[in-house]
Each structure stands twice: as structure tokens, then as C-alpha cells.
Amino acid sequence: MDNQFFKGLVLACSIFFNANYSVSYSQKADTVRIYELQSIEVKGKKTPSNVLSGSPIQKIDISQLENLGSNQISDAVKRFSGITVKDYGGIGGLKTVSIRSMGAEHTAVSYDGIAVSDCQSGQIDISRFSLDNISEITLNIGQSDNIFQSAKMIASAGALNIDTYNPDYTNQKRAFLKANLHTGSFGLINPSLGVDYALSEKTSFGGNLNYLKADGFYPFKINIGQKEIEGKRINSDIESLRGELNFIYKPSQKQRVKLKTYYYNSERGLPGVIIVDNSYSAERLFDKNFFAQLQYENNISKNFKIKGAAKWNYSSNKDYNDQSSGITVDRFRQRESYATISGMYDFLNGLSLSLSQDFSYNDLFTTIRNCQFPERYTVLSALSCQYKNNRLTVTGSLLNTFITENVKSGEKADDRKKLSPALSLSYRVFEEIPLRIRLSYKDIFRTPTFNDMYYLLIGNSGLKPEKTKQINLGLTYGNENIFFLNSLIATIDIYYNRVDDKIIALPTMFIWKMMNADKVETLGADININAEKRISKHLNLSLASAYSYIKAENISDRNSKLWRNQIPYTPKHSGNTAFNIETEWITFNYNVNYSSIRYSLPQNDRDCRIDGYADQNISLSKKFSIGKSKLNIAAQIANIGGKNFEIIKNYPMAGRNFKISLNYTY
């Protein structure tokens, strides 16, 4: 609503009130009349955070997730620009996220605000989580504008934040029910059930249960060299059970306590690489994961607030492999104890200051011979500040890291101490035009994982951390009722990254050894456009498109054959486009993910080249209202081109397939 119109309306109401009061008083002095003004609702869209932020941020919420027609987080994440999702094929395939070619180890993943960890490999498999209870997914690259967060989330090159569904009890509704059923090709059956209930105004609890089973037995056809290989993917099945319980207690309007417990148990086949005349695979992976996390928030005053969290995580996996040389069974177990506390003070002049302190303990046990049984103590301290006014936002942080380790046998790594600065700013260039320029810088590092340092004989306890420098320059624009559109949001970012002391495996005299050998330089650009046009009350059109250019090259040795070669599994060109038509009767969605050629090895020759692909998907959905309940029926055809493209070399993805979803809410 126009600001002048709003002021005029309030003034008119005030004059009307005072005039009536004066007349009544003059007519009858001993009578007091009270006139109650009705509240005025001002409607308008809030400026999205990806336009205001000083560094790139991308979001996808529950309404957009419903239009995707998929139940995998990896499908949603592929819509973000600047990322690479490594997918080994099939519903049960491992899926990890790399931001701007830096590697999955540099990507932090948080679940309801608390970091998910894997000290063994450093890579988080996002297939462990389901879309059925997710409300929003956010990707932050570089320095986040959110200074009120844990030091662990600051200590990464980028972060993928997964937020689960929280029911709204403000309308006095006390019970919520969500039931979902997904079924489709390759034996997919995936039911889930979620229940939330308010015991009182202060206390509520909820839980959800998710079961997934699929045989993954899909046909494929790929070319290896000059030979075409045709067959069916074997050992690509999965069966998993996932459950969560949540308890929320609000002692007052200023305080909130939340307890979450999570359990995941799965058995899956690892299908293996397709080799000419040999597609046999019998490797099985058994995963178990349990964690409990407790969060506390207190808005002590208008200007000062604190929050804290504690988490205990237990994870184990068993790798079973029936090889020609015999059966091998390797077991791994890792534990983590984690605590964080943060405080933030808002000054009156737009300045905010935050201090976060984190502590974590990790250990690893394995049945592999010569295991050194490492344990790690990590202390992180982050001081952050932010200044904000109508046109300018400046955010800075300084992270202090101290890590010490112990082993039961062999050599332990040296203690690590480092200060890591970060800075970002966003400035609105013109007061009347919503155009902003943003600039960010982050200096951060990645600690070597337990596998890097202690795995069999290839581990190297003398490894140095990988050091990264990130520079980003961008423009953002967001406006309503522009040209013929109801809304238009556009962002463009140009960035430069450099990774020094990159950890890779190199052959030594008798064995391979983990070494700090590579330097990688990345120059890239991300472009995002979101547009919406409401044709009528019952017809709405929307378009979301993202494009990434990534030139990530090895600059370790000018005389090497690898000099200026594109690093493995990083396409120079990639992106996605989603077009949505929403009507009174049905919603139609078309989306395509595309990628240019990639290489599976550091040397960019024909033998390790992976062809580009375009993965097209269409979905139809229909919503029904049944009293207080809602039913959504969706059908999706995935990979409508039917081609078995590859994301990882010689790991063919499924061809054309379908999914049907039923979603019931009360």
C-alpha cells in the first residue's frame, strides 16, 4: 500500500474520531463515548533476503518444493546455481554437494540450525534426509549476513541449511497431521507420517516416520570407448527407516526450548562402476545414525538475546563386499559431542555485535588393521559485527580455530591454530531503484579428515589444512509490478576462488599417499532470475532460472601436463530452469537441469571425458480441500528424454521413470 495513502487514511480516521468526540462532548458533557478503530492490514511482499544480502544466498520453500514432484533433497538442491551434486545413480546412491568447485568437504550442512558432521570423510550424504518434513532449504556462499549463529557454521566456505516443518498454533489449532505416499518406477515405495500436537500454550510435541524401499533395477545403455554396453543396473537397491521426535517448551514469550532426536537406519547396494563385460557388484553398505540435539533461545531484552545448543551424535556403518579374492567386512564408528553458545547485542544506531563459542569432541573406531583410533578436540570462537541502515549493510567476522588431536598408536597431527577473517557489504545504489551492489571476502580453511590422515598406509598425519580465499562481486535487483510482471528478482555474481594445499592422493615409491600437492584457481559467474505474472485470479505463471559458469583449473605446476586443466567433475557450464503454471484446477511444472562436459580425472583427455546432459522433468498436481483437510495429488515423469546420462563416469543414471505422490494434511 502506498505510504502517503496509508498516512492519509490514518489522519482521516483521527479527524473523524476527534470530530465525533467534540460534538458528543458539547451536547452532553457527562457522557464519554469510546470509538474503537478497526485494525488495518497492510499487505505486501517482504523483500527477499537474496536481494538484500552481502553474499550469495539462495532459498527454496515448501510451496516450491511441492511443485517439484520429487521426494529427494538432492533434486531440490540442483536448482541452486554454483553447486555440483555428485550422484552415483539410483535412489539409494550417495549424494554430496560441492560449492563452486571447492569440494564437498568445504560444504557445511545444518539441520534445524545445528551442523551435521562426519569427521571420517568430511562429506555429508544429503540422501539421509527427506523432503516430506522440510519447510525450507537455504544455500549460503561465503560470509553470511546472519551473525547470530554458531561458530561452526561460520567455519566453512559455504553452508546448506535444512529447516524442518514447524506447525503454526497461533490460530488455536492444536493438532496437525501430515501423511505422504510416494510410489513409482523401480519398485519405489515411500510412505511417511507426521504428527504434531499442542499440549498447552507452552508445550507441544511432534514426530514423523519415513520408510523407503526401492530395488533400483533399471535398464541402461552407455558407451565405453567404442563399445556400447547395455544391461540392467544391479545391486542398486535401498531400504531405509528414518524417524524424528520433537519437543518444544516455551516458558515465556521470550524463551524457547527445543529437543530433537533423530534416527536413521539403512541398507543399500553400492552398484559399482560399469566395466566392459563385467557389471558384477556385491558391495553393501549398512548405515546407522542417531543424534539428539537440545536448543535454547532467550530474548532477554529488546536489544540483547542469547541462544545455546548441545548435540550428541553416534554414527556407524558396515561395508560388506563379496569379492573374487574373498569376503571383506569393514566396520566404522564415529561419535561427536558438541556444544555452542551465542550472544548478540543490538545497538540503537543500527550496529549489532555477536560472540559465539563452540566446542566439539570427535573420535573414530574401525576394524581395519593398523587403525590409530584418532580423537579430535576443536574449539571455535567467532566475533561478528554488522552495521545496517536503509541502504547499507556491512557484516564482518573473525574466527579463531584451535584443534588438537590424540591417537592410540602412530603419529598424531600437530595442533592447529588460525585466525580467519570475513567481510561483506550490500549497498543500495539509488534510493528510488531497488538495485544493490554487493561485495564479499572470506578467508577460511578445511581441516584434513580422519581418512586423510589415518586411513591405512595412505593417510598422512603431516597434512596441512586446505586454505581457501573467496571473493565475490555481485548485483541484485528485486521489484514488484515491473514491466508486465508482478515481481522480478535477478542476481548476478562474479567470483574468484583460490584453494592452496589441496589434499590429493599421489603415488610414492611403493604406495599412494595423501599429500598437499594441488593449487586450484576458480573464476566463475552465477546468474539467477525469478519472475512471476498473475494473469487472473485463477491463473499464475512463474519462471525460475539459474546459470553457472565455472572455470576451475589446476595451477600447481606450470610444467605439468595438468597445468590449467579443468578439475574433475566440474562442468564449465551448468544450470536449471523451472516453469510453473498454476490454475484453479491443476498445477503444471516443467524443469530441466543441464550440464556441459566434465572430466573424471585431472588430465583433460578424451578417455576421461563425460558428455553433457539435459535432464528434463514434468509434473502435474491437483489440490483438494476436504473440510479442514487438504489433499495434494502429484504425478511426475522424470528424465523424459530417456537417456542414461552420467554424473559420475560409468555410473549411468536411470532413464525415463515416473513417480506418483499423495500428500494429506489436517
Side-chain angles (χ1 to χ4, degrees):
M1 183 180 290
D2 184 81
N3 191 41
Q4 296 299 323
F5 176 78
F6 178 78
K7 290 180 179 178
L9 183 62
V10 174
L11 180 61
C13 292
S14 300
I15 294 173
F16 177 80
F17 173 81
N18 289 324
N20 276 276
Y21 178 79
S22 300
V23 171
S24 66
Y25 186 83
S26 62
Q27 291 176 345
K28 195 170 185 178
D30 59 347
T31 301
V32 177
R33 296 183 180 180
I34 299 175
Y35 294 84
E36 182 181 354
L37 292 175
Q38 299 297 317
S39 61
I40 301 173
E41 183 180 1
V42 181
K43 292 185 178 180
K45 288 187 177 180
K46 182 181 178 182
T47 304
S49 56
N50 58 334
V51 173
L52 302 175
S53 64
S55 58
I57 178 174
Q58 301 171 66
K59 288 186 178 183
I60 183 169
D61 60 26
I62 188 169
S63 61
Q64 296 168 304
L65 292 172
E66 288 176 349
N67 291 332
L68 281 176
S70 178
N71 62 326
Q72 296 192 71
I73 285 185
S74 59
D75 292 332
V77 172
K78 287 175 184 176
R79 294 187 61 180
F80 295 145
S81 63
I83 71 159
T84 302
V85 177
K86 277 192 175 182
D87 192 331
Y88 291 83
I91 296 174
L94 301 174
K95 296 167 178 63
T96 60
V97 177
S98 171
I99 296 176
R100 291 180 172 177
S101 78
M102 286 180 286
E105 298 89 348
H106 286 276
T107 305
V109 176
S110 77
Y111 197 64
D112 275 352
I114 299 182
V116 181
S117 68
D118 188 316
C119 62
Q120 181 182 352
S121 68
Q123 303 185 38
I124 305 302
D125 177 18
I126 60 173
S127 68
R128 288 166 40 190
F129 307 107
S130 170
L131 278 181
D132 287 344
N133 68 321
I134 301 301
S135 63
E136 186 176 77
I137 303 173
T138 307
L139 178 71
N140 287 285
I141 301 176
Q143 171 67 26
S144 171
D145 279 4
N146 178 18
I147 65 172
F148 193 41
Q149 61 178 334
S150 67
K152 194 169 186 177
M153 295 307 298
I154 296 174
S156 61
L160 184 70
N161 304 288
I162 303 171
D163 294 318
T164 59
Y165 166 77
N166 284 312
D168 182 11
Y169 296 109
T170 56
N171 59 0
Q172 297 184 347
K173 185 177 178 181
R174 299 185 64 181
F176 292 82
L177 174 68
K178 293 183 70 175
N180 303 277
L181 175 63
H182 309 279
T183 186
S185 302
F186 320 128
L188 172 65
I189 179 72
N190 179 206
S192 67
L193 178 66
V195 178
D196 293 276
Y197 187 77
L199 297 172
S200 65
E201 291 183 358
K202 296 182 177 181
T203 309
S204 63
F205 76 92
N208 64 81
L209 195 64
N210 185 294
Y211 174 77
L212 171 67
K213 186 174 183 179
D215 58 42
F217 194 55
Y218 57 85
F220 69 88
K221 184 187 296 184
I222 64 171
N223 292 313
I224 300 180
Q226 301 298 318
K227 187 170 184 179
E228 184 179 77
I229 306 296
E230 186 174 355
K232 282 201 171 183
R233 205 70 166 118
I234 63 171
N235 198 43
S236 187
D237 61 300
I238 183 172
E239 185 174 14
S240 69
L241 180 66
R242 177 190 300 106
E244 293 184 25
L245 289 175
N246 300 289
F247 177 80
I248 299 175
Y249 175 60
K250 297 179 180 179
S252 66
Q253 291 185 345
K254 296 182 177 181
Q255 299 181 77
R256 181 174 181 265
V257 179
K258 182 176 182 179
L259 173 66
K260 173 185 286 289
T261 59
Y262 170 95
Y263 175 76
Y264 177 74
N265 191 340
S266 75
E267 177 188 350
R268 71 183 93 184
L270 301 181
V273 62
I274 298 297
I275 304 174
V276 177
D277 300 327
N278 183 15
S279 59
Y280 175 78
S281 177
E283 188 173 6
R284 310 287 297 174
L285 183 63
F286 301 80
D287 283 312
K288 287 184 180 180
N289 181 217
F290 171 82
F291 67 74
Q293 58 189 42
L294 179 67
Q295 297 167 282
Y296 173 73
E297 301 174 10
N298 191 343
N299 296 326
I300 296 175
S301 67
K302 182 179 179 180
N303 302 96
F304 182 57
K305 54 186 175 182
I306 62 170
K307 66 179 180 180
K311 178 178 180 178
W312 186 79
N313 179 77
Y314 174 89
S315 178
S316 70
N317 57 67
K318 180 178 72 172
D319 189 330
Y320 172 92
N321 200 354
D322 186 0
Q323 306 174 88
S324 57
S325 58
I327 295 175
T328 62
V329 180
D330 297 324
R331 299 176 185 271
F332 303 88
R333 184 217 66 203
Q334 53 178 304
R335 296 176 299 186
E336 179 187 50
S337 300
Y338 170 74
T340 177
I341 186 168
S342 304
M344 186 171 79
Y345 189 83
D346 294 324
F347 297 88
L348 297 178
N349 59 357
L351 181 67
S352 300
L353 191 67
S354 173
L355 179 64
S356 300
Q357 184 68 56
D358 290 22
F359 170 81
S360 63
Y361 167 81
N362 301 86
D363 71 345
L364 175 67
F365 168 85
T366 175
T367 57
I368 293 179
R369 68 183 187 279
N370 300 322
C371 176
Q372 294 177 254
F373 304 103
E375 55 182 8
R376 174 180 292 171
Y377 299 86
T378 304
V379 179
L380 301 171
S381 306
L383 178 63
S384 304
C385 62
Q386 185 177 82
Y387 173 76
K388 182 185 293 186
N389 60 30
N390 292 334
R391 298 180 65 177
L392 176 67
T393 300
V394 181
T395 306
S397 67
L398 185 62
L399 174 73
N400 180 62
T401 303
F402 174 74
I403 299 175
T404 184
E405 295 178 2
N406 290 318
V407 293
K408 291 187 177 179
S409 62
E411 285 190 40
K412 78 176 187 71
D414 293 335
D415 294 347
R416 297 177 179 87
K417 304 174 185 177
K418 196 174 190 304
L419 285 173
S420 304
L423 180 68
S424 71
L425 67 88
S426 172
Y427 179 69
R428 182 164 177 163
V429 183
F430 308 104
E431 212 170 310
E432 56 282 346
I433 302 176
L435 176 69
R436 287 178 173 264
I437 185 171
R438 62 186 178 194
L439 177 66
S440 63
Y441 169 81
K442 190 165 191 177
D443 184 343
I444 203 68
F445 70 98
R446 170 182 87 83
T447 304
T449 66
F450 283 163
N451 279 353
D452 292 335
M453 295 188 294
Y454 305 115
Y455 185 73
L456 293 175
L457 297 177
I458 70 171
N460 181 2
S461 60
L463 288 173
K464 294 181 288 185
E466 288 184 359
K467 297 183 284 290
T468 68
K469 288 181 172 58
Q470 303 168 255
I471 301 174
N472 188 94
L473 175 64
L475 288 173
T476 70
Y477 178 87
N479 204 355
E480 295 182 16
N481 301 316
I482 175 88
F483 304 123
F484 61 92
L485 300 172
N486 292 90
S487 69
L488 175 65
I489 299 171
T491 65
I492 179 170
D493 292 279
I494 300 172
Y495 62 88
Y496 172 82
N497 295 340
R498 182 182 172 112
V499 180
D500 290 326
D501 295 324
K502 192 167 182 64
I503 300 169
I504 62 171
L506 289 176
T508 60
M509 185 175 296
F510 300 107
I511 60 171
W512 287 71
K513 199 78 171 174
M514 305 303 292
M515 305 288 287
N516 293 107
D518 273 2
K519 295 180 181 178
V520 176
E521 184 179 70
T522 302
L523 181 65
D526 292 336
I527 301 174
N528 291 272
I529 298 175
N530 291 269
E532 185 176 348
K533 173 63 177 178
R534 180 162 289 281
I535 305 296
S536 67
K537 182 180 179 181
H538 303 300
L539 177 59
N540 189 64
L541 308 179
S542 62
L543 176 73
S545 188
Y547 166 77
S548 295
Y549 170 78
I550 302 179
K551 185 180 180 182
E553 298 177 333
N554 188 313
I555 58 169
S556 305
D557 183 359
R558 187 179 294 271
N559 299 316
S560 169
K561 291 182 179 180
L562 306 181
W563 173 257
R564 291 294 179 184
N565 277 217
Q566 186 85 347
I567 66 173
Y569 293 110
T570 302
K572 282 191 176 181
H573 306 277
S574 64
N576 62 81
T577 297
F579 178 61
N580 196 70
I581 303 175
E582 188 175 354
T583 72
E584 182 182 8
W585 308 278
I586 202 165
T587 298
F588 170 82
N589 179 269
Y590 167 82
N591 67 81
V592 55
N593 298 297
Y594 46 89
S595 169
S596 65
I597 64 169
R598 291 137 293 136
Y599 296 91
S600 60
L601 294 174
Q603 190 167 344
N604 296 173
D605 56 32
R606 177 172 288 276
D607 291 338
C608 60
R609 171 174 164 155
I610 307 174
D611 291 336
Y613 65 88
D615 179 19
Q616 303 177 76
N617 309 272
I618 59 174
S619 65
L620 294 171
S621 62
K622 170 66 175 175
K623 295 180 180 179
F624 301 90
S625 293
I626 309 170
K628 296 182 180 180
S629 305
K630 293 181 180 180
L631 176 66
N632 185 38
I633 302 175
Q636 181 198 45
I637 301 177
N639 191 1
I640 59 179
K643 185 178 180 181
N644 300 111
F645 62 89
E646 302 162 70
I647 295 178
I648 305 298
K649 189 171 179 62
N650 295 342
Y651 282 82
M653 301 292 290
R656 188 181 302 108
N657 61 92
F658 74 91
K659 297 186 185 77
I660 297 175
S661 300
L662 302 176
N663 304 288
Y664 172 81
T665 59
Y666 170 80

